[in-house]
Amino acid sequence: PLLAEDLSGLVGLEGVATPRLVPAGTARIDGRLIDVTPEGPRLVAGRPRESGRVVFNLPKDAEGAQFDRIHLNVEGALWTWTVQRFAPKPPFIGQTAPEHFQPYAVGYVELPGETIVETRIVAKDFHNLRVGARMRLTLETIAIGPEGAPIYTYAFEPVEPA
């Protein structure tokens, strides 16, 4: 086996892992739980034991004890959308200076038999978005943190490019 000091020369180099290594775990993004799995990101929701009605986000603390933790479907249908053409007010995370702000789509995606999720919509051309279009969960970089690491949010993107 290699010792830690033997690996110092590998820092910054690229390689190929066999089998493919995929980070896994739970992240809190925009205050919501997202499980990162080998199959990709999964939104974490709750199903109250009493009613069975799905809620997103999974409630915390004592209230959360009444819920079963579930993963939402990763695909759904675009329910409605609009384009944010100006920088939101704080606590918005992202470029707010008018010369750097990029418009982005926001909307609701219906996850059949579960719930409707408010989300950012990833699309190259907003004019191609259509209500009812099939959408898939993804992660989107919304800013770069102070240490240079990306800051992510969950989003949905069209299954067929828009």
Side-chain angles (χ1 to χ4, degrees), residues 25-102:
T26 300
R28 186 171 295 280
I29 300 177
D30 282 350
R32 304 193 185 248
L33 294 177
I34 298 175
D35 281 349
V36 181
T37 71
E39 295 78 35
R42 299 294 304 268
L43 296 176
V44 177
R47 185 186 315 270
R49 291 182 195 96
E50 190 173 297
S51 71
R53 183 175 165 255
V54 175
V55 297
F56 177 69
N57 191 26
L58 174 66
K60 298 186 238 176
D61 306 323
E63 183 186 5
Q66 308 299 315
F67 291 77
D68 291 323
R69 185 180 199 271
I70 64 167
H71 285 149
L72 293 177
N73 285 319
V74 295
E75 286 194 8
L78 186 57
W79 195 68
T80 192
W81 63 278
T82 190
V83 177
Q84 178 73 33
R85 297 193 186 276
F86 58 89
K89 296 176 182 170
F92 176 73
I93 297 173
Q95 293 289 342
T96 57
E99 64 273 14
H100 297 295
F101 176 77
Q102 294 292 315

